[in-house]
Amino acid sequence: MKWLLAALISILVVSYALVIPTRVHPGWQVKWKARACSNLKRTVNQLGYRILLGQSGQGELVSTCGGEKGIYYCILIPGTSPYKKMRVGSP
Amino acid sequence: MKELVLILIALLVASFLVSAPRSDEDWLLYMGELRMYEISAEADTLKARSMIFARSWVDRWLAGVNATACEELPPPPNGSLFVQLLREDLMSKGFSLMGDLRYSIGESREGDVSDQAFGGYCRDGGIKVVASSGLTIRDDLLGIKARRYFDVEACQPTTYFLIREVLTRLRHRTIGIVKEAFSSEENVTAALQEMREELTSLVRYLRKNLTDEGISLRLTYTTKFAEEEVAIAFKAVVFDKEAIIIRGGRLRRGFSCIREWEIRARGS
């Protein structure tokens, strides 16, 4: 019995670790995206002109946004030279 | 043991939920919610981004006219360019942007309120930027819209308008002083002496008003005698030590204007 339980728990733990990143439930995606968007709004509105000084707060200033389809969201900051984008993820 | 079995069952149920196939209807709902957050992030940062753009525009222009005659008026930021840049970025994300953003430039007054995202503070004779906008971001696929209207004011702390006015006034006054000195005195040396006294008192008066603002003024001149004429070449340097300009990703303090002009008077 003990061995059976141990095996079951091990399978569950391993399958969780594998399943979550490969097939994320859309509800979680929404939650993460909502958090990323909300962080992005807060970061841009709080930093304002400081972005021109290279500050990025919780986000990062990038030239292109490769990972924005994931749990990141990315917006263009007109005024930066050359034009940069602010990318913020869900913490 | 019972508790352990219950936990295991709960974990099994949860794992089915995670990997359960989703229906198209569910997916559309989730997609709609995702897009809603995205559109809100775009729309709720429009005001801050318009201010960042304006600050960059004004500061870049100021850096370009630093240590020049400062005769031009500051050009308003290009609102069409801002909208065009944003439209291109949004289009790549499946959104469209409608509406416009207009900027205007004026002279700031101490006590005016400057928008936080622009980052300046208001001084007498500084540059005031006013942005007014009505922008709509639309998700063409799902029909979600976000409209944002705003009128916002901000101040660039460099006292460009004040410096420009001081230099213009100084030029006009020197013309008056030279003409008066040379018309009232027959003797050139006496006329130059009178001119010098008048200029000293004018500079002293102007300095008294400018020092409190952190602005210094220096006026120098040289005289050249040519046959029956005296040419007086003036050079005025006004330096605002409290000016702050963002250039090349750094904050730079100090802004100056240098103006030169020449006045000719009869030298007999």
Side-chain angles (χ1 to χ4, degrees):
Chain A
M1 190 63 180
K2 274 182 189 172
W3 285 105
L4 188 68
L5 273 172
L8 267 172
I9 290 168
S10 306
I11 290 164
L12 274 169
V13 167
V14 171
S15 66
Y16 252 72
L18 293 173
V19 162
I20 290 168
T22 54
R23 183 139 187 189
V24 175
H25 192 275
W28 294 6
Q29 275 192 45
V30 170
K31 214 171 161 185
W32 289 341
K33 187 68 115 181
R35 216 178 291 160
C37 289
S38 151
N39 285 342
L40 181 108
K41 275 195 273 187
R42 197 172 43 245
T43 304
V44 172
N45 288 328
Q46 276 178 359
L47 285 176
Y49 75 100
R50 290 183 200 91
I51 294 173
L52 298 171
L53 301 170
Q55 294 184 25
S56 55
Q58 288 185 17
E60 54 180 329
L61 284 167
V62 292
S63 305
T64 50
C65 290
E68 73 188 84
K69 291 287 175 195
I71 54 163
Y72 290 95
Y73 195 64
C74 201
I75 58 167
L76 177 75
I77 309 289
T80 45
S81 176
Y83 294 120
K84 292 250 170 82
K85 294 180 177 192
M86 175 69 85
R87 188 169 72 177
V88 177
S90 174
Chain B
M1 184 60 84
K2 271 184 190 172
E3 287 85 351
L4 199 61
V5 172
L6 281 171
I7 290 167
L8 278 173
I9 292 167
L11 284 169
L12 271 168
V13 170
S15 75
F16 278 121
L17 276 176
V18 166
S19 54
R22 57 213 174 202
S23 70
D24 285 350
E25 202 176 303
D26 277 352
W27 179 241
L28 201 65
L29 270 172
Y30 287 127
M31 199 55 189
E33 214 177 328
L34 275 174
R35 299 287 278 173
M36 194 188 73
Y37 287 119
E38 290 179 2
I39 210 168
S40 127
E42 295 284 353
D44 289 341
T45 50
L46 280 173
K47 193 175 95 168
R49 285 190 284 172
S50 74
M51 286 290 100
I52 296 167
F53 178 76
R55 181 71 196 258
S56 162
W57 179 281
V58 174
D59 283 30
R60 197 177 304 144
W61 181 81
L62 275 173
V65 295
N66 193 11
T68 66
C70 301
E71 279 173 306
E72 301 165 51
L73 282 170
N78 188 343
S80 307
L81 177 63
F82 176 86
V83 171
Q84 185 197 324
L85 289 167
L86 231 60
R87 188 172 283 146
E88 282 166 15
D89 181 58
L90 288 167
M91 209 181 279
S92 67
K93 296 170 182 166
F95 295 117
S96 57
L97 177 70
M98 285 153 292
D100 61 352
L101 170 65
R102 287 174 308 278
Y103 288 106
S104 60
I105 291 276
E107 190 175 337
S108 68
R109 291 272 155 245
E110 198 180 326
D112 289 350
V113 179
S114 184
D115 185 79
Q116 190 197 329
F118 189 87
Y121 62 95
C122 301
R123 294 168 73 194
D124 283 334
I127 299 172
K128 184 198 247 181
V129 181
V130 181
S132 50
S133 168
L135 290 165
T136 304
I137 302 172
R138 199 174 76 183
D139 182 340
D140 293 322
L141 188 69
L142 300 170
I144 307 167
K145 273 184 190 173
R147 280 199 190 98
R148 295 293 183 273
Y149 298 95
F150 57 86
D151 286 287
V152 59
E153 289 183 1
C155 301
Q156 213 298 343
T158 306
T159 53
Y160 183 82
F161 280 102
L162 179 64
I163 294 172
R164 189 172 171 270
E165 194 197 318
V166 164
L167 286 170
T168 308
R169 202 194 302 172
L170 196 61
R171 188 177 179 169
H172 286 309
R173 285 291 298 127
T174 50
I175 293 170
I177 287 170
V178 170
K179 281 189 176 165
E180 209 172 292
F182 279 85
S183 62
S184 61
E185 292 285 347
E186 282 293 312
N187 184 295
V188 173
T189 314
L192 285 172
Q193 179 63 31
E194 189 187 317
M195 182 191 85
R196 188 186 162 149
E197 280 165 17
E198 285 296 319
L199 287 174
T200 307
S201 107
L202 170 68
V203 170
R204 195 179 296 135
Y205 169 76
L206 288 172
R207 271 188 191 147
K208 201 171 76 182
N209 295 325
L210 294 172
T211 311
D212 293 343
E213 300 286 331
I215 300 166
S216 63
L217 164 69
R218 201 179 66 204
L219 178 73
T220 52
Y221 64 88
T222 52
T223 46
K224 278 183 196 165
F225 297 91
E227 293 185 6
E228 292 189 347
E229 255 189 354
V230 180
I232 306 155
F234 287 93
K235 183 179 181 181
V237 181
V238 183
F239 180 69
D240 179 3
K241 67 174 180 187
E242 286 180 25
I244 302 169
I245 297 169
I246 299 172
R247 188 75 185 126
R250 289 170 65 188
L251 270 181
R252 289 158 203 269
R253 283 192 178 271
F255 176 84
S256 66
C257 290
I258 304 164
R259 206 177 282 188
E260 291 173 298
W261 66 96
E262 191 181 86
I263 304 169
R264 287 173 182 272
R266 51 134 200 98
S268 57

